[in-house]
Amino acid sequence: MELEVRHLRALCAIADAGSLHKAARQLGMSQPSLTTQLRRIENSLGAELFSRERTGCRPTLLGHSVLSRARPLVAGMAVLVSEARAAADRSAGPRLRIGSTASRALAGWLRRLRERLPGTDISLQMDVSGNALLRQVAAGGLDVAFVHEVEGCPLRVPPGLDRRVLVEREPQFISLARDHPAAGRPVVELADLASDRWMIDPTVDGEWDGLRRVLSEAGLNPPVLHGDYLTASSLIAVGEAIAPCQPTSVPRDDMVVRPLRDDPLGVRLLLFSRPGAYEGAGIASSGAGADGAGDGPGGAEVYADLEAAYREAALQAGVYRQWLMRNKSPLLHAPAA
């Protein structure tokens, strides 16, 4: 078997994700397919590239050597494809390619951007992995990425990207069945959830590590289920699990959203872009933006739309609005025009 770029891309994804399961999700394929592909690659090279451990996959010495040569080839191919596509698309008019992890602010942000940029082709790509989105921004496949960074689990930010901080620390709330014993309390004690089954999506960068750290610091070791959050919602509704959630989450008839005492779980909300990314959307981009970002006036406008959309989503979520009021958050007040 001859190695192809797709094989090298798979090796890089496994190394970055640290597990076959996470890498398969990022690559859009099943774990058995990726496992088979890795086995064929290793057979063709005559040795193992990753050691399989209970906690994931780690590159062997040969693996590190192969990865050191594979990464520049994969990055170079990504740049080649991106530049070729950009050249082909220049005549098609302005465009803005957005990547994002899940957020209630997205709908309002897209609405504002379409009003601000009529005639601009605005696309959206969702991913559970903020790291994967940042790699795409760096490679030119996306112009901007709105991502969250779990506290204590920093994102791997490629060099050269501009950054703006939307929210320095957003508390993570908890989703419970409406008949859960703690559902009637305005604030839930972490210790009261010790016997519950927690559900977490391990493919979301840092989320499992962040929760495990918080539970360990609280002296708790509850049973944990791994799965996506669509499945989690079904289990939460019937009382089979609880799960962390964004504070902007809107409660359902069969579920409630509550803050945790002292807000032990938190994330930082960030907007990343490539220098000059907004020029392709028909926005002038020059000078330096906030937070040391060099995206200039154009980036400030796109950021302002995101900020307004997030504030709108936050104030529509009653439990989060109450939390913001208790903590005298500046989010309660729109900035002066």
Side-chain angles (χ1 to χ4, degrees), residues 17-33:
S19 79
L20 288 166
H21 178 66
K22 289 183 180 180
R25 285 283 296 270
Q26 293 177 13
L27 293 167
M29 59 194 301
S30 68
Q31 182 175 335
S33 296

Side-chain angles (χ1 to χ4, degrees), residues 173-253:
F173 289 177
I174 194 80
S175 292
L176 308 161
R178 188 162 289 279
D179 59 358
H180 190 284
R185 302 168 193 163
V187 178
V188 176
E189 302 284 346
L190 193 60
D192 291 339
L193 307 174
S195 60
D196 284 282
R197 283 180 291 272
W198 290 69
M199 190 156 192
I200 197 79
D201 187 343
T203 64
V204 179
D205 293 329
E207 203 139 303
W208 169 222
D209 291 333
L211 175 61
R212 181 167 48 188
R213 174 182 57 81
V214 167
L215 292 175
S216 177
E217 289 175 354
L220 303 179
N221 186 28
V224 176
L225 306 176
H226 287 173
D228 63 88
Y229 284 120
L230 181 61
T231 303
S233 295
S234 301
L235 294 179
I236 293 167
V238 296
E240 286 295 317
I242 61 173
C245 67
Q246 297 176 12
T248 50
S249 300
V250 177
R252 306 182 342 186
D253 290 341

Side-chain angles (χ1 to χ4, degrees), residues 265-279:
L265 296 168
V267 303
R268 186 163 59 156
L269 304 184
L270 304 162
L271 181 67
F272 287 92
S273 64
R274 287 178 295 104
Y278 299 106
E279 294 174 359

Side-chain angles (χ1 to χ4, degrees), residues 160-178:
L161 297 189
D162 296 327
R163 184 197 72 172
R164 287 176 178 269
V165 179
L166 177 68
V167 177
E168 184 62 42
R169 190 179 194 273
E170 179 193 70
Q172 298 300 279
F173 289 177
I174 194 80
S175 292
L176 308 161
R178 188 162 289 279

